């Protein structure tokens, strides 16, 4: 995926800071969409309009002005019909289709950095569609490789008053943290129904949580007791904010946490992503080099008198471009391994040395030099 380098470059040159991407995740009904709507209103009132993206293909109505709406690109009902899928399959497939175009979304976000400090991203109702799908990973990694990206895990506080349910919710949050490895904020939503202080106490005071568990007699509570020991470390560094998406309370505190999470991204995650990008690029160029060598071997003595082909500074070709007009990469691989090995080149060269073929090769080569030398 083409990751715009502009984010880091503009920062280094004192240009606009790259926008922070707030990826809003949470169980169905936890209040993600209402939260994004409230956040959008809040940021507008602060004179800081966000760039808003809706990734839920199945939502009937988006209650906020979305700059990008997956529903404009992918028609969820059509996808269901066309692929013979049920509702969940339809959502997953729609998201997959959208992920293939996410490089374009990245360009839009890059352009928005002059006007927006924040990018808000609402995700499908069913959390696993995003967190445990290939497209969710592609989208998350694309964002995180270019912009400070923060996961906001929205939970329904009013439905977490049972210690066992609370624990399950926290385990889920923990699994997402380990999956995405990104700065993380837990938003305890719906504090208009019940204050979140009971949950904070459970997280800070192990004894208090054990007391609550003692009221439970099911075997699950035994498991929960052991698990709570495991979660202690997760809690210790967790950012938690109580919010009511309906009333709009807790948002000032939320942005204090967002600022600290953004710093954490710059300090701990950015260097890691940069390192990853570099090692990926060098692995890619090594692969390209090997493919080129194989290609040159295959072509044998086909004349390519562009004059630069054998120079030590000759750029690495990208055979994938050649393959565009000559079949798929896999076919090319097979060809390299089998077919051409037992062809008598002296015989076939004659038929290959058609002027048209040579012209084609030379034109293709000229294009690569241009591309790689610019
Ligand atoms: N009382 C209360 N209800 C809320 C709050 N946030 C969302 N809801 C309600 O929770 C339900 C689900 O909200 P929605 O934003 O669609 O959840 P999503 O599936 O996570 O996007 C809706 O009926 C909302 O009105 C809140 O802060 N307080
Ligand atoms: Mg929603």
């Amino acid at each position: 995926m083409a990751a715009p380098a502009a984010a880091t470059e503009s920062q280094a040159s004192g240009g606009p800071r790259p926008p922070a991407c707030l990826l809003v995740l949470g169980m169905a009904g936890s209040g993600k969409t209402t939260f994004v709507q409230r956040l959008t209103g809040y940021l507008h009132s602060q004179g800081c309009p966000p760039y808003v993206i809706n990734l839920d293909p199945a939502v009937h109505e988006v209650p906020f002005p979305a700059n990008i709406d997956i529903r404009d690109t992918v028609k969820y009902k059509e996808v269901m019909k066309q692929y013979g899928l049920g509702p969940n399959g339809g959502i997953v497939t729609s998201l997959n289709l959208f992920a293939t175009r996410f490089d374009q979304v990245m360009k839009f976000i890059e352009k928005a950095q002059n006007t927006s400090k924040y990018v808000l991203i609402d995700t499908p109702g069913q959390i696993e569609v995003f967190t445990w799908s290939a497209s969710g990973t592609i989208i998350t990694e694309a964002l995180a490789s270019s912009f400070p990206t923060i996961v906001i895990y929205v939970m329904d506080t009013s439905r977490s008053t049972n210690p066992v349910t609370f624990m399950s919710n926290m385990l889920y949050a923990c699994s997402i943290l380990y999956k995405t490895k990104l700065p993380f904020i837990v938003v305890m939503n719906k504090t208009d129904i019940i204050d979140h202080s009971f949950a904070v106490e459970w997280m800070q005071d192990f004894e208090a949580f054990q007391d609550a568990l003692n009221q439970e007699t099911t075997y699950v509570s035994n498991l929960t007791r052991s698990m709570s020991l495991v979660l202690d470390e997760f809690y210790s560094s967790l950012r938690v904010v109580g919010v009511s998406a309906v009333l709009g309370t807790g948002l000032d505190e939320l942005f204090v946490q967002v600022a600290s999470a953004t710093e954490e991204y710059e300090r701990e995650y950015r260097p890691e992503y940069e390192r990853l990008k570099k090692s990926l690029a060098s692995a890619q160029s090594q692969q390209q080099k090997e493919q080129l060598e194989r290609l040159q071997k295959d072509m044998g003595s086909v004349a390519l008198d562009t004059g630069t082909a054998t120079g030590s500074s000759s750029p690495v070709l990208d055979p994938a471009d050649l393959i565009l007009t000559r079949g798929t990469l896999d076919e090319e691989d097979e060809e390299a391994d089998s077919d051409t090995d037992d062809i008598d080149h002296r015989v076939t060269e004659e038929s290959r040395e058609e002027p048209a073929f040579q012209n084609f090769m030379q034109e293709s080569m000229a294009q690569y030099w241009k591309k790689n030398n610019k």
Side-chain angles (χ1 to χ4, degrees):
M1 180 127 338
T8 29
E9 278 162 19
S10 63
Q11 208 180 1
S13 61
R17 273 182 80 87
C21 297
L22 311 186
L23 192 57
V24 181
L25 302 175
M27 307 276 184
S30 57
K32 296 180 291 295
T33 303
T34 317
F35 173 75
V36 170
Q37 178 189 14
R38 176 59 66 182
L39 225 51
T40 305
Y42 173 86
L43 286 170
H44 271 283
S45 74
Q46 303 279 312
C48 180
Y51 196 77
V52 194
I53 301 174
N54 170 46
L55 291 185
D56 187 351
V59 70
H60 283 299
E61 250 176 74
V62 178
F64 43 78
N67 297 84
I68 296 177
D69 189 339
I70 184 173
R71 299 175 312 161
D72 297 336
T73 312
V74 192
K75 301 282 176 244
Y76 155 72
K77 291 239 163 94
E78 286 300 312
V79 170
M80 272 172 69
K81 243 189 262 167
Q82 208 174 328
Y83 294 86
L85 297 165
N88 267 340
I91 296 174
V92 174
T93 307
S94 299
L95 200 65
N96 284 345
L97 291 171
F98 191 74
T100 62
R101 303 211 185 155
F102 205 73
D103 52 339
Q104 290 174 34
V105 176
M106 294 293 287
K107 286 193 189 120
F108 282 119
I109 299 177
E110 205 188 333
K111 277 192 200 139
Q113 67 184 346
N114 294 320
T115 50
S116 297
K117 260 176 82 179
Y118 300 100
V119 179
L120 310 180
I121 301 147
D122 192 13
T123 56
Q126 311 289 340
I127 186 168
E128 61 276 15
V129 167
F130 194 86
T131 49
W132 300 104
S133 69
S135 45
T137 308
I138 288 170
I139 291 172
T140 309
E141 286 184 356
L143 289 171
S145 64
S146 294
F147 305 105
T149 304
I150 295 150
V151 172
I152 296 201
Y153 183 79
V154 179
M155 64 183 263
D156 185 337
T157 316
S158 64
R159 291 200 174 179
S160 306
T161 51
N162 176 298
V164 179
T165 317
F166 174 78
M167 172 65 72
S168 326
N169 223 327
M170 283 297 132
L171 280 174
Y172 209 97
C174 187
S175 71
I176 295 171
L177 174 76
Y178 282 96
K179 174 106 185 3
T180 61
K181 303 180 194 75
L182 284 167
F184 203 83
I185 300 174
V186 172
V187 162
M188 294 191 169
N189 190 28
K190 310 198 185 180
T191 51
D192 52 297
I193 302 174
I194 182 165
D195 192 77
H196 67 299
S197 48
F198 75 91
V200 173
E201 192 189 359
W202 283 351
M203 292 164 83
Q204 289 173 348
D205 184 351
F206 185 72
E207 298 289 322
F209 186 68
Q210 295 301 316
D211 285 349
L213 270 184
N214 284 338
Q215 324 275 325
E216 300 280 321
T217 47
T218 56
Y219 97 98
V220 184
S221 71
N222 285 334
L223 176 68
T224 310
R225 200 164 279 130
S226 343
M227 294 306 276
S228 65
L229 281 169
V230 178
L231 281 180
D232 231 30
E233 195 194 325
F234 171 63
Y235 289 157
S236 66
S237 57
L238 197 60
R239 298 179 181 86
V240 178
V241 190
V243 157
S244 166
V246 162
L247 299 180
T249 50
L251 298 184
D252 290 336
E253 165 65 10
L254 175 78
F255 278 94
V256 172
Q257 299 292 349
V258 166
S260 121
T262 309
E263 262 172 40
E264 185 189 336
Y265 173 89
E266 296 295 352
R267 195 178 58 241
E268 289 176 27
Y269 295 81
R270 167 94 65 201
E272 181 64 13
Y273 272 108
E274 298 290 329
R275 196 187 56 73
L276 217 100
K277 237 195 285 187
K278 255 190 216 144
S279 70
L280 213 78
S282 80
Q284 234 168 21
S285 79
Q286 178 61 26
Q287 199 185 8
Q288 284 178 349
K289 211 170 120 194
E290 283 166 16
Q291 281 174 329
L292 170 66
E293 280 165 6
R294 212 163 53 192
L295 193 74
Q296 282 176 337
K297 216 166 88 190
D298 286 351
M299 290 195 302
S301 57
V302 174
L304 286 168
D305 47 359
T306 51
T308 47
T310 50
S312 59
S313 62
S314 69
V316 174
L317 292 188
D318 185 358
D321 286 340
L322 253 188
I323 288 151
L324 258 184
T325 49
R326 297 176 67 202
T328 68
L329 188 63
D330 289 344
E331 281 165 8
E332 181 67 25
D333 271 343
E334 266 174 32
E335 224 180 320
D337 289 344
S338 57
D339 298 8
T340 49
D341 287 348
D342 42 36
I343 285 177
D344 184 345
H345 287 271
R346 280 159 307 181
V347 178
T348 52
E349 260 164 33
E350 261 157 35
S351 59
R352 281 190 181 185
E353 274 173 359
E354 296 285 328
F357 179 73
Q358 277 211 24
N359 284 344
F360 164 74
M361 290 305 290
Q362 282 176 6
E363 268 171 29
S364 301
M365 287 297 191
Q367 273 173 9
Y368 304 137
W369 305 145
K370 231 201 255 161
K371 215 162 82 185
N372 287 302
N373 283 323
K374 70 173 178 221

